[in-house]
Amino acid sequence: MAKILVIGGAGYIGSHVVLELLEKNHQVVVFDNLSTGQRENLFDEAEFIEGDILDFEKLKNAMKQNIDVVIHLAAKKAVGESMEKPAIYASNNITGSINILNAMLEANVKNIVFSSSAAVYGMPQYLPIDEKHIKNPINFYGYTKSLIEDLIVWYSKLKDINYVIFRYFNAVGYDSLKRVKGKEKNPQNLLPIIMEVATQKRDSFQIYGNDYNTKDGTCERDYIHVSDLAVAHEKAVQKLMEKNGSHILNLGTGKGTSVQEIVDSSEKIISQKLSYSYAPRRSGDPAVLVASSDLAHKVLNWKPKYTNIEDIIQTTWNMEKNNG
Ligand code: UFG
């Protein structure tokens, strides 16, 4: 059992991570500014500190209670927005992360699990993408993640910080027991947008491009269930507590699912036709993005439980039905 500070623990991925940690009997403190995180994603068993990662003193105080591991999931994450408002991403993602690392030094916290992203790779040079693939982000969001990774690696060399950096592919789904209640506001990703159309919050959506060189002409992505991500975080905590080195690991399923397949499966699961049209390609979208997660399997003995996209979409639809 460890004492863990989950920064961004009220967010979409953070709340699932907290659930898994509590399930494995860890002691959890959530630190979140509730900007995109939501109060309804907090659980009674975890302590809550409302705070911002730009507030260095508050961070430092939060860490000064014998924290074993920091899990850092607090970030702005909308790719398009990051290109229009780089200052927000620089300050929240980069300055915020520097604050976290410096607070760890002051409070003598030695372990961090960091949420990075497949966005650090940019356009794939080969598939599936493994961790040796060159980092060459093509959007500012991906650049912030790449830079923070490098900072963590430097702090590790200079100050004995141990880390597990996770590069998530496309996180989707919800807790199958429906314990996570807060839906993301203003979702920017495919499946949450589809859910908004299914529940009449939006009239329709667009499929960006159907002329790619893929199985059906639409983009393929590696959709990984958020509860599988959560399990990997708990395993990373164990790994760090055993003082078993530092690692950079992809988290994906290794399987590509096309946008069209997501749409068709969603229509089947929700038993209704969705209103959508085909639009031109979105700039910066690679045709296919699929992970090799062999290293995560080897290092953490982790494998995703959810390998069928319909099961994943079903968990999203169940949550949607539950929380309207
Ligand atoms: N898409 C549509 N219509 C929409 C929204 C998305 O056709 O309205 C398509 C996109 O073009 C893409 C696929 O659905 O082909 C998935 O798009 P998302 O916006 O849901 O996700 P991305 O693959 O662009 O990016 C996501 C995260 C990034 C992360 C990346 C890693 O948003 O932060 O996965 O693979 F880096």
Side-chain angles (χ1 to χ4, degrees), residues 11-12 31 58 61 63 66 95 105 111 125 131 165 173 186 203 210 224 237 252 270 295 306 324:
Y12 166 55
F31 187 99
K58 204 161 200 177
N61 287 334
M63 287 192 201
N66 297 319
T95 309
L105 294 188
N111 301 304
Q125 309 291 306
E131 293 82 354
I165 291 171
N186 303 318
D203 294 336
N210 59 351
I224 174 84
V237 166
I270 64 186
L295 199 57
Y306 290 91

Side-chain angles (χ1 to χ4, degrees), residues 80-99:
E81 186 189 50
S82 76
M83 300 296 272
E84 282 152 29
K85 299 175 181 163
I88 296 177
Y89 281 70
S91 114
N92 194 80
N93 293 10
I94 300 172
T95 309
S97 296
I98 293 173
N99 279 346

Side-chain angles (χ1 to χ4, degrees), residues 77-79 116-120 139 141-142 145 167-172 188-194 202 204-209 212 218-223 257-260 262-263 277 280-282 284-287 289-290:
K77 67 171 180 85
V79 171
S116 188
S117 165
V120 301
N139 52 61
Y141 161 73
K145 290 288 177 182
R167 294 178 180 154
Y168 308 151
F169 282 64
N170 292 55
V172 283
Q188 313 264 346
N189 295 107
L190 178 64
L191 195 53
I193 288 175
I194 289 177
R202 275 179 204 244
S204 64
F205 67 98
Q206 296 181 316
I207 292 183
Y208 300 134
Y212 285 98
T218 64
C219 287
E220 289 173 34
R221 292 288 179 275
D222 189 333
Y223 294 93
T257 304
S258 74
V259 177
Q260 191 69 59
I262 294 277
V263 174
S277 57
R281 294 179 178 195
R282 189 173 69 172
D285 262 347
L289 208 51
V290 177

Side-chain angles (χ1 to χ4, degrees), residues 105-267:
L105 294 188
E106 293 212 11
N108 202 28
V109 179
K110 291 291 185 194
N111 301 304
I112 183 167
V113 180
F114 174 61
S115 302
S116 188
S117 165
V120 301
Y121 294 121
M123 285 297 174
Q125 309 291 306
Y126 58 85
L127 292 164
I129 297 184
D130 60 20
E131 293 82 354
K132 293 196 188 79
H133 187 286
I134 185 176
K135 290 207 291 177
N136 187 20
I138 54 164
N139 52 61
F140 192 65
Y141 161 73
Y143 170 73
T144 66
K145 290 288 177 182
S146 176
L147 186 90
I148 300 157
E149 286 190 357
D150 295 348
L151 280 169
I152 292 172
V153 173
W154 269 106
Y155 271 64
S156 168
K157 278 189 223 167
L158 301 174
K159 290 286 174 189
D160 272 344
I161 299 269
N162 303 305
Y163 61 84
V164 175
I165 291 171
F166 283 131
R167 294 178 180 154
Y168 308 151
F169 282 64
N170 292 55
V172 283
Y174 274 89
D175 173 49
S176 61
L177 301 177
K178 303 176 208 163
R179 290 167 295 181
V180 172
K181 310 271 183 228
K183 254 185 312 185
E184 279 191 290
K185 292 173 204 133
N186 303 318
Q188 313 264 346
N189 295 107
L190 178 64
L191 195 53
I193 288 175
I194 289 177
M195 291 299 147
E196 289 204 341
V197 175
T199 51
Q200 285 82 48
K201 290 188 193 74
R202 275 179 204 244
D203 294 336
S204 64
F205 67 98
Q206 296 181 316
I207 292 183
Y208 300 134
N210 59 351
D211 57 351
Y212 285 98
N213 185 18
T214 55
K215 50 188 154 193
D216 57 27
T218 64
C219 287
E220 289 173 34
R221 292 288 179 275
D222 189 333
Y223 294 93
I224 174 84
H225 194 281
V226 66
S227 299
D228 281 326
L229 293 181
V231 169
H233 287 71
E234 198 280 327
K235 285 179 178 281
V237 166
Q238 285 182 40
K239 195 86 191 161
L240 289 168
M241 295 304 286
E242 291 161 7
K243 303 200 187 318
N244 247 329
S246 290
H247 307 275
I248 298 182
L249 305 171
N250 284 343
L251 293 180
T253 62
K255 200 169 122 187
T257 304
S258 74
V259 177
Q260 191 69 59
E261 286 172 328
I262 294 277
V263 174
D264 295 348
S265 301
S266 298
E267 287 188 331

